Amino acid sequence: MPTVELFTDVALGVAIPSRNARGRIARVTRVVDSILAAHQYPPLVERLLAQALTLTALLGSLLKEPQGQLTLQAQTEGGPIDLMVCDYLGGELRGYVRHDAEKLEGLPEEPTLQQLFGKGYLAITFDQPVANERYQGIVPLEGKNLGEAAQSYFSQSEQIPSLVRLAAEKRGEHWFAGGLLLQHLPEGEEGRERLHTRLDHPDWPHVAILGGSVKAEELTDPGLALDDLIWRLFHEEGEVRTLAAIKLGRGCRCDPAYVRSVIAKFPEDEREAMVGDDGFIRVDCAFCSSSFSFEPKELSR
Ligand SMILES: [Zn+2]
């Protein structure tokens, strides 16, 4: 098996069998830089998207199918940010944010989710096409940060005691982001048979305290290997296992042929209205900012 380096742009599975705890730890640096490079977001938005991409990596790497897709989508009203979308497919991440720069001014350096999104919800969609499983959960965008929102979603809606920590920091020109997700799964993680999960199980507070002691600097430090960090947190446990590591990359699935086929389906008069001053129909990919242009003539058959 090829070895995957465990310092950055990677998600690593973690298990503490004696405590029935499992989870993921992830760090993203170059991937975040390259996704952000396609946009010119203010620092607040960059930090938010860096954390959202880290959460996407943590949740996406839980998917069992290589073809599985995980999507995070924030839908909001009245805040500086009105749309945020991130997704994960086979270790590839992408994401973008739509925001109102004027409304962002005057926010504190670490705004709450409510200050960023106004009234909003985060939809988390797990899609596993081979097993034909699609599951969507909705999280209110409340709390200090996305980690807190995801944690309360798992604990309250899913009845799975969970810990989620996310951190993102810009040093010089580069972003460093990392995250930890731990879950208490005494009934096993298969299926949805979690009715008997007890929130007061004595093993969980112990794991949550050790996991919760992780520092933001540790999550974002690209010189600290993820397995070393897990060992640092849980070395007192009888057994700590690291599972498969998934290499993370930046990926966009925008495809000129697909974009062309979508435009070609519009009625001719609507296509005419799309033609710009230069005589071309231009479509930009919101994720990677790629621009596609088509001659109106080549679209009508
Ligand atoms: Zn794209």
Side-chain angles (χ1 to χ4, degrees):
M1 240 177 91
T3 51
V4 178
E5 60 114 302
L6 297 177
F7 291 96
T8 191
D9 298 312
V10 64
L12 179 69
V14 180
I16 306 164
S18 61
R19 305 278 183 188
N20 295 303
R22 268 175 259 200
R24 297 290 183 269
I25 185 164
R27 188 176 294 128
V28 273
T29 59
R30 292 183 294 260
V31 173
V32 168
D33 276 342
S34 73
I35 290 170
L36 294 176
H39 308 279
Q40 263 115 35
Y41 295 139
L44 276 184
V45 175
E46 289 197 334
R47 179 190 301 275
L48 175 74
L49 187 55
Q51 294 190 351
L53 289 163
T54 307
L55 180 60
T56 304
L58 291 172
L59 299 177
S61 60
L62 291 172
L63 292 164
K64 292 184 191 74
E65 286 181 11
Q67 303 88 337
Q69 182 170 325
L70 181 282
T71 309
L72 288 188
Q73 179 159 348
Q75 272 157 336
T76 73
E77 265 172 44
I81 292 174
D82 73 334
L83 181 67
M84 181 178 75
V85 186
C86 294
D87 70 21
Y88 172 106
L89 177 71
E92 295 199 332
L93 297 167
R94 60 180 186 168
Y96 73 96
V97 173
R98 212 167 59 199
H99 69 283
D100 179 331
E102 263 173 46
K103 284 191 189 169
L104 279 173
E105 284 169 21
L107 286 191
E109 202 179 318
E110 297 204 15
T112 63
L113 293 179
Q114 215 141 15
Q115 287 171 319
L116 285 169
F117 292 102
K119 185 176 155 49
Y121 294 89
L122 184 69
I124 302 176
T125 311
F126 293 87
D127 209 334
Q128 309 217 73
V130 175
N132 197 20
E133 271 177 25
R134 188 182 160 88
Y135 175 70
Q136 188 175 71
I138 307 281
V139 196
L141 282 164
E142 289 165 4
K144 279 208 314 261
N145 57 42
L146 287 175
E148 216 167 78
Q151 181 174 306
S152 60
Y153 160 70
F154 281 118
S155 308
Q156 288 161 25
S157 313
E158 293 285 282
Q159 302 284 297
I160 306 171
S162 299
L163 175 100
V164 184
R165 290 287 183 276
L166 300 173
E169 199 196 345
K170 193 174 193 180
R171 297 182 204 132
E173 291 297 293
H174 301 289
W175 277 96
F176 298 87
L180 174 66
L181 161 72
L182 289 169
Q183 303 194 303
H184 189 232
L185 296 161
E187 318 292 329
E189 67 184 321
E190 298 299 328
R192 313 260 305 137
E193 303 296 319
R194 293 170 183 142
L195 294 174
H196 305 292
T197 304
R198 287 176 50 198
L199 290 168
D200 59 350
H201 196 292
D203 281 341
W204 175 247
H206 184 79
V207 174
I209 287 168
L210 296 181
S213 74
V214 73
K215 298 185 188 75
E217 308 89 86
E218 292 174 312
L219 288 172
T220 58
D221 179 0
L224 175 57
L226 295 180
D227 51 348
D228 289 341
L229 176 51
I230 289 299
W231 179 247
R232 187 185 281 182
L233 295 170
F234 296 106
H235 62 95
E236 284 169 22
E237 295 302 301
E239 187 188 5
V240 183
R241 280 189 223 154
T242 53
L243 313 171
I246 297 176
K247 202 169 162 28
L248 302 171
R250 172 201 179 195
C252 202
R253 299 187 288 288
C254 55
D255 167 8
Y258 176 74
V259 175
R260 185 188 180 282
S261 74
V262 171
I263 300 172
K265 284 190 194 114
F266 280 93
E268 193 158 354
D269 56 330
E270 286 185 36
R271 286 207 308 266
E272 259 161 40
M274 297 178 198
V275 177
D277 293 339
D278 59 358
F280 287 90
I281 296 175
R282 202 173 294 280
V283 178
D284 296 328
C285 174
F287 285 101
C288 68
S289 300
S290 293
S291 189
F292 306 104
S293 47
F294 305 94
E295 242 184 300
K297 271 198 303 233
E298 64 166 313
L299 294 164
S300 29
R301 273 167 291 171

